[in-house]
Amino acid sequence: MTELEGRSAVVTGGARGIGAAVVAALAKEHISVVIGDLLEPEGTALADSLGAGALFRRLDVTDEAGWRAVLDDAEAEFGPLAVLINNAGIVDFGGIESESPAMFRHVVDVNLYGAWLGMHLAAPRLRAAGGGVIVNISSTAGLIGYAGVGGYVASKWGLRGLTKAAALELGPANVRVCSIHPGPIHTPMTEQMDESVAAAQPLARFGEPEEVAAMVRFLVTEATYSTGSEFVLDGGATAGQVVGLPGETR
C-alpha cells in the first residue's frame, strides 16, 4: 500500500452496481477515490457516505474535456493518479438486424472509446507518477459470443484487446493493465435478465458486485506481477458450458 499512499484513484460508472462496490473496496484500503458517473444523486450520496476520502464528479466517459476535469480534480484533491478503473458501461438488447446503427455506435462509444479515452489521458499522469494500475471491466462477452447483444459483445472484445495493447506499451513505465470478465452479476444492468441464465453454470447463481470488487482490490494492491491478464468471474460458465441470454434460442 505504500506506493498508493498520497495518491488518487478514479472509478467510472462508480455510482452504483459494480462501480459502487469497487469504490467502497478501495476506500477500505484507504485509497482516495473520485467517483465518475452521470448519476449525480447516487454518486453524491455514495461519496458523502465514505467521507473525506471520496468525492463525486459528473462524467460522460465519451467527453474528453470531462475526463480532463475529473483527472485534474482527482490529483488536486488527493494527489498524483495511481489507479484508474474503467467500469462505465451500457448494454442494448438488439440483434444484428434489429439494433439501430445509432445505438450500436453509442454502446461502442461508451464501453470501448470511453475506456480508451480514459487510458489515453491517464497514462501520461501514471507514467509521470512512477507507475500505477489500470483495470478494465470487460465481460464474459469479451471472451465468447452472445446473440442479441452485438454492440456489447463487440465493445467488450475490443476492451479485452485494448487492455493487452496498453499493457505492452505501459509496462516499461511500471503501469499494469488488466481486464476483469464478469458473468451475470446482480446489478441494475441485469435486472431484466432471468436468473435461469445461470442455471447451467457450475456455480449456478448470479455473482454479487462485491465479488467483482474483491478482484479489483486484489489487482490493485496485491497482483504486482500481473499485467495484460484476464481475470474471469463467471461461476465457471466459460469453462465449458454453453450459455445464452434471455430470448436467445440455441
Side-chain angles (χ1 to χ4, degrees):
M1 287 302 299
T2 303
E3 68 274 14
L4 300 180
E5 290 178 3
R7 296 181 62 185
S8 58
V10 172
V11 179
T12 69
R16 67 181 187 181
I18 290 172
V22 169
V23 169
L26 295 180
K28 287 182 180 178
E29 294 292 326
H30 307 289
I31 300 171
S32 298
V33 185
V34 174
I35 303 161
D37 208 308
L38 293 174
L39 302 174
E40 295 187 40
E42 295 96 327
T44 300
L46 177 60
D48 289 346
S49 73
L50 295 173
L55 60 86
F56 170 79
R57 291 292 183 267
R58 189 179 189 279
L59 175 63
D60 173 352
V61 294
T62 68
D63 176 49
E64 182 175 349
W67 263 112
R68 292 186 185 278
V70 165
L71 293 169
D72 285 346
D73 285 353
E75 296 196 319
E77 291 288 335
F78 300 131
L81 187 69
V83 177
L84 171 62
I85 312 299
N86 281 311
N87 169 72
I90 58 173
V91 65
D92 176 55
F93 290 92
I96 298 299
E97 296 170 279
S98 61
E99 187 172 32
S100 72
M103 182 55 72
F104 179 90
R105 292 192 64 172
H106 182 50
V107 171
V108 173
D109 279 350
V110 172
N111 296 359
L112 181 56
Y113 173 69
W116 173 84
L117 187 56
M119 289 192 286
H120 172 70
L121 297 174
R125 298 172 188 249
L126 294 170
R127 187 186 296 274
V133 186
I134 299 172
V135 179
N136 294 322
I137 309 299
S138 181
S139 166
T140 53
L143 300 172
I144 60 175
Y146 293 100
V149 284
Y152 186 76
V153 170
S155 68
K156 294 302 187 179
W157 274 79
L159 187 55
R160 175 189 178 194
L162 185 61
T163 297
K164 294 184 182 300
L168 293 171
E169 292 182 24
L170 299 177
N174 195 35
V175 178
R176 296 187 293 106
V177 190
C178 294
S179 60
I180 292 180
H181 298 261
I185 306 293
H186 281 131
T187 69
M189 184 183 288
T190 63
E191 284 178 345
Q192 62 180 296
M193 292 175 64
D194 193 307
E195 298 272 340
S196 65
V197 168
Q201 297 175 181
L203 303 181
R205 63 174 178 85
F206 275 37
E208 300 300 331
E210 291 75 17
E211 292 176 296
V212 182
M215 179 60 77
V216 173
R217 186 207 63 78
F218 169 73
L219 292 179
V220 169
T221 64
E222 298 183 45
T224 53
Y225 198 48
S226 290
T227 194
S229 303
E230 301 159 2
F231 294 83
V232 184
L233 295 91
D234 67 350
T238 58
Q241 299 286 339
V242 177
V243 294
L245 290 175
E248 179 183 351
T249 57
R250 288 181 178 264

